[in-house]
Amino acid sequence: MFNQLREDIGSVFERDPAARNAFEVLTNYPGLHALLYHRLCHALWKRGFKWLARMISTISRWLTGIEIHPGARIGRRFFIDHGMGVVIGETAEIGDDVTLYHGVTLGGTTWNKGKRHPTLCDGVVVGAGAKILGPFEVGEGARIGSNAVVTKPVPAGATVVGIPGRIVRSRVDPESMDEVDQKRQQMADKIGFDAYGVTSELPDPVAHAIQSLLDHMQAVDNRLEVMTQAMKQVGVKCPDQKLPELKAEDFAAVEEDRPLSETVEAIDKQQSK
């Protein structure tokens, strides 16, 4: 029991830089309090004292703002940061080294009995306000971005953002990574988790789609320019119609890995030839 408590306190120090000492963690962290209450409630639940287990869990919710059903199964080194508004359903299963932030819901989508809530495998991080709804599995090491709504299984190592949840990054073979990605992965492994379920390099899927379209437009413009020059060389008259001007500031909101100003500049150069 004391070894497990020591392990729980240690997990707080690993994942919260604001933690200063064990006494502060033990007395002022509602996520730890909710976890300790849940262990008592779960033991009572398994022994058939279901009303008493529910009563103690209700008291725990009043005191911590975190609602964990006594039937939920939770692994080791589970950490709830801040915790207010977290809801974990009866048939939810949580593996080892899982991190949840405030406002997370592990809920169900049906009133039928049986498995109704998600299973979080080892090392999952769920960002603030995220909702994971349904009896499916979130794979080992997955990241759920803040305020995402996830209703489908998530593969191991994937990152999910948006409503509905979309996979924007999947696990990559380390041997296929370039030097920059390898350094990012090394830092992620060193830290052990991503604050609020996101990283500073997390891609925006809409911006990525627009970036891809602009790249495609540039390639099409280049090809049309080559075709026009070839037709002029064989004597075919082609109208020199000027294309609408593209301004870099119009695309500032969707800049991603490569500044779109570079794309616009490249297109302008092709148009001016």
Side-chain angles (χ1 to χ4, degrees):
M1 176 181 175
F2 289 104
N3 288 336
Q4 192 171 36
L5 179 59
R6 188 180 299 111
E7 196 175 58
D8 293 333
I9 294 174
S11 69
V12 175
F13 283 106
E14 291 174 1
R15 290 175 254 181
D16 186 1
R20 294 182 296 178
N21 56 68
F23 181 73
E24 180 182 62
V25 170
L26 192 59
T27 55
N28 293 294
Y29 274 67
L32 179 60
H33 301 160
L35 179 59
L36 297 178
Y37 274 116
H38 173 72
R39 292 209 179 109
L40 172 60
C41 295
H42 188 64
L44 292 171
W45 184 268
K46 291 195 299 182
R47 288 167 174 77
F49 300 100
K50 298 189 183 298
W51 180 88
L52 181 58
R54 289 299 302 269
M55 189 65 212
I56 295 175
S57 71
T58 300
I59 294 173
S60 172
R61 183 181 63 179
W62 291 343
L63 296 175
T64 66
I66 299 169
E67 180 174 346
I68 307 177
H69 193 284
R73 292 192 286 178
I74 297 177
R76 300 170 61 181
R77 297 177 296 279
F78 177 54
F79 178 54
I80 304 176
D81 198 4
H82 301 296
M84 182 62 70
V86 169
V87 177
I88 301 176
E90 177 186 4
T91 61
E93 300 177 51
I94 298 174
D96 298 335
D97 302 301
V98 171
T99 302
L100 304 185
Y101 288 87
H102 52 278
V104 169
T105 299
L106 306 183
T109 56
T110 177
W111 290 345
N112 297 328
K113 293 185 179 297
K115 178 68 171 172
R116 306 184 304 281
H117 303 94
T119 296
L120 308 187
C121 296
D122 297 347
V124 170
V125 177
V126 184
K131 315 300 177 187
I132 306 178
L133 309 174
F136 55 84
E137 184 176 285
V138 178
E140 181 178 346
R143 300 289 187 266
I144 309 300
S146 298
N147 296 315
V149 178
V150 184
T151 58
K152 296 180 181 180
V154 177
T159 298
V160 177
V161 299
I163 304 173
R166 300 182 298 274
I167 296 175
V168 296
R169 178 174 296 164
S170 300
R171 173 171 287 177
V172 179
D173 184 358
E175 295 182 358
S176 65
M177 293 182 180
D178 59 25
E179 184 177 354
V180 174
D181 286 337
Q182 287 178 355
K183 289 181 179 179
R184 290 173 179 169
Q185 186 61 45
Q186 289 172 0
M187 181 56 67
D189 293 339
K190 179 180 178 181
I191 295 174
F193 79 110
D194 295 329
Y196 294 87
V198 299
T199 66
S200 58
E201 297 86 15
L202 187 65
D204 180 346
V206 176
H208 180 73
I210 295 175
Q211 178 73 66
S212 298
L213 287 173
L214 289 173
D215 290 342
H216 182 75
M217 288 169 56
Q218 181 182 359
V220 170
D221 283 348
N222 291 340
R223 181 172 296 183
L224 289 174
E225 181 65 26
V226 172
M227 292 172 61
T228 301
Q229 295 298 330
M231 292 172 68
K232 287 182 178 180
Q233 290 177 3
V234 298
V236 178
K237 293 183 179 180
C238 298
D240 293 326
Q241 183 176 359
K242 188 176 180 180
L243 296 175
E245 182 182 358
L246 296 176
K247 298 180 181 179
E249 55 267 25
D250 293 337
F251 301 94
V254 295
E255 290 188 4
E256 199 182 27
D257 295 332
R258 175 169 59 85
L260 291 181
S261 57
E262 295 181 9
T263 300
V264 175
E265 183 180 353
I267 294 175
D268 288 341
K269 287 181 179 178
Q270 293 296 329
Q271 292 176 353
S272 62
K273 286 182 179 180

